[in-house]
Amino acid sequence: MHPSQVLFQGKCAPVTIPACDHYAGSEKLIAKSMALQRELGPLFDITCDFEDGAAAGNEENHARMAAQAIAGPDNLFNRIGARVHDIGSPHFEADIRIICEGAARRLAFLTLPKAEGVADVERALDLINHHAERAGRENLPLQVLIETHGALREAHAIAALPQVECLSFGIMDFVSAHYGAVPANAMRSPGQFTHPLVARAKLEIAAACHAHGKVPSHNVTTEIKDSAVVANDAARAMSEFGYTRMWSIHPAQIKPIVKAFAPRGSEINEAVAILTEARAAQWGPIQHHGKLHDRASYRYYWTVLQRAKISGLPMPEAASTLL
């Protein structure tokens, strides 16, 4: 049996998607992002932004342009999605219809902003599935921004929806929703990791995702020029808050984010050694360097290899039979 069948009996293996989600909101930036993805490989996703990161006033043409780019020959890896307008926007339904008609088969995901709770997500999914299925695509993955009080309160219910693969924290809207009670410095480091209300929100989102095998995606870093700030934010998001993915808003942020979330070479080698011994023992308990391991720890080491694979890291030859 494949390791995923043994280690996740009765459950789906957790979702694995690239650790960096790069946002682009114009035709020029989308083209540049796609060129960089072709150069680096599918180490990061691209999200074509129809909402806050896009210009207002030309929504229909913008959606058609993105659909054409996603369906075109320059999309080599099918790892490009789109953030549509929120469910209350007059552009929401047109966004869904246009992007599905033009690119449903090639879309990696759609992202829904400003949901007030699970009912909004379910309504959005009904419309998405209607248009996607008409275009020949079933179970189009949905990523949901958690940036309202209602969505945070129902984060577990949203993460439990089978078609939802990722929850992202929308820190700017979330802080703004406190009407000045949370200071602006809580939108950036170090405040974003230390303010109790913001830290609580991040932890709730991460916990909801991991409870249902979904991916928690960390908010943007507004610092563009200093890659050390980006790398430090990504490292803290992963090590202190349990995030496995993070937004990028500038091409210079992509590599630091991917590197910060990738496992180290020593972790990869240890995972391969332990899982190889485990398979030889038919996935029963083993001793490795004097320490006991069983299926509980095997699941951890298997996810290490999944992270390494999605980050494009070199791995021992033996890893290929474990993935």
Side-chain angles (χ1 to χ4, degrees):
M1 295 176 68
H2 189 271
S4 62
Q5 294 175 288
V6 176
L7 301 180
F8 299 97
Q9 290 181 5
K11 297 181 179 180
C12 293
V15 173
T16 302
I17 53 179
C20 181
D21 184 8
H22 179 65
Y23 268 63
S26 70
E27 184 172 9
K28 177 182 176 181
L29 294 177
I30 290 169
K32 284 187 173 182
S33 302
M34 292 175 69
L36 185 59
Q37 192 184 59
R38 293 194 300 275
E39 176 188 339
L40 299 179
L43 305 185
F44 66 96
D45 284 345
I46 298 169
T47 297
C48 301
D49 197 1
F50 297 1
E51 202 219 8
D52 289 349
N58 195 28
E59 285 80 8
E60 183 173 337
N61 287 336
H62 184 77
R64 293 189 188 283
M65 175 275 297
Q68 186 175 9
I70 293 168
D74 290 337
N75 178 9
L76 298 185
F77 308 109
N78 292 331
R79 291 306 312 172
I80 306 177
R83 174 168 72 165
V84 298
H85 285 84
D86 66 90
I87 197 166
S89 167
H91 306 294
F92 173 71
E93 185 166 1
D95 285 350
I96 301 298
R97 175 179 53 79
I98 291 168
I99 198 70
C100 286
E101 285 177 354
R105 294 177 183 270
R106 305 284 302 281
L107 269 172
F109 54 85
L110 288 177
T111 297
L112 178 70
K114 297 178 176 62
E116 292 291 343
V118 68
D120 278 357
V121 179
E122 291 174 328
R123 285 175 56 204
L125 280 170
D126 286 343
L127 186 65
I128 289 167
N129 289 336
H130 170 73
H131 288 290
E133 288 169 7
R134 287 183 64 183
R137 177 73 179 273
E138 295 185 354
N139 297 315
L140 177 61
L142 182 66
Q143 303 189 7
V144 180
L145 267 160
I146 306 298
E147 49 192 343
T148 67
H149 299 295
L152 181 62
R153 183 177 60 249
E154 298 183 1
H156 275 269
I158 295 170
L161 296 172
Q163 209 165 328
V164 171
E165 68 173 10
C166 175
L167 301 185
S168 293
F169 183 41
I171 191 169
M172 295 181 183
D173 278 285
F174 181 77
V175 170
S176 297
H178 288 78
Y179 303 110
V182 177
N185 62 17
M187 297 184 192
R188 55 187 181 273
S189 294
Q192 67 163 318
F193 295 113
T194 58
H195 192 283
L197 284 172
V198 177
R200 167 187 166 264
K202 291 188 181 191
L203 292 171
E204 289 284 350
I205 292 166
C209 285
H210 294 305
H212 299 284
K214 307 302 174 63
V215 175
S217 185
H218 194 261
N219 54 270
V220 300
T221 291
T222 54
E223 174 60 53
I224 293 173
K225 294 182 179 180
D226 191 344
S227 62
V229 173
V230 179
N232 185 65
D233 284 354
R236 291 194 70 177
M238 181 183 68
S239 64
E240 298 177 30
F241 290 82
Y243 281 75
T244 56
R245 180 171 165 98
M246 181 170 165
W247 285 27
S248 159
I249 54 171
H250 189 278
Q253 294 182 336
I254 294 172
K255 287 184 179 180
I257 291 171
V258 171
K259 183 177 180 180
F261 281 97
R264 303 297 174 256
S266 58
E267 294 179 275
I268 297 169
N269 291 333
E270 182 181 39
V272 170
I274 289 171
L275 293 175
T276 299
E277 291 182 37
R279 184 173 55 189
Q282 296 183 317
W283 304 104
I286 63 167
Q287 286 191 46
H288 181 77
H289 293 167
K291 296 180 180 178
L292 176 68
H293 292 279
D294 60 17
R295 266 178 262 184
S297 58
Y298 300 158
R299 282 188 282 272
Y300 169 82
Y301 289 108
W302 188 78
T303 58
V304 168
L305 295 188
Q306 295 300 309
R307 286 169 48 216
K309 178 182 178 182
I310 207 73
S311 299
L313 296 179
M315 288 189 285
E317 185 176 346
S320 62
T321 60
L322 298 166
L323 292 166

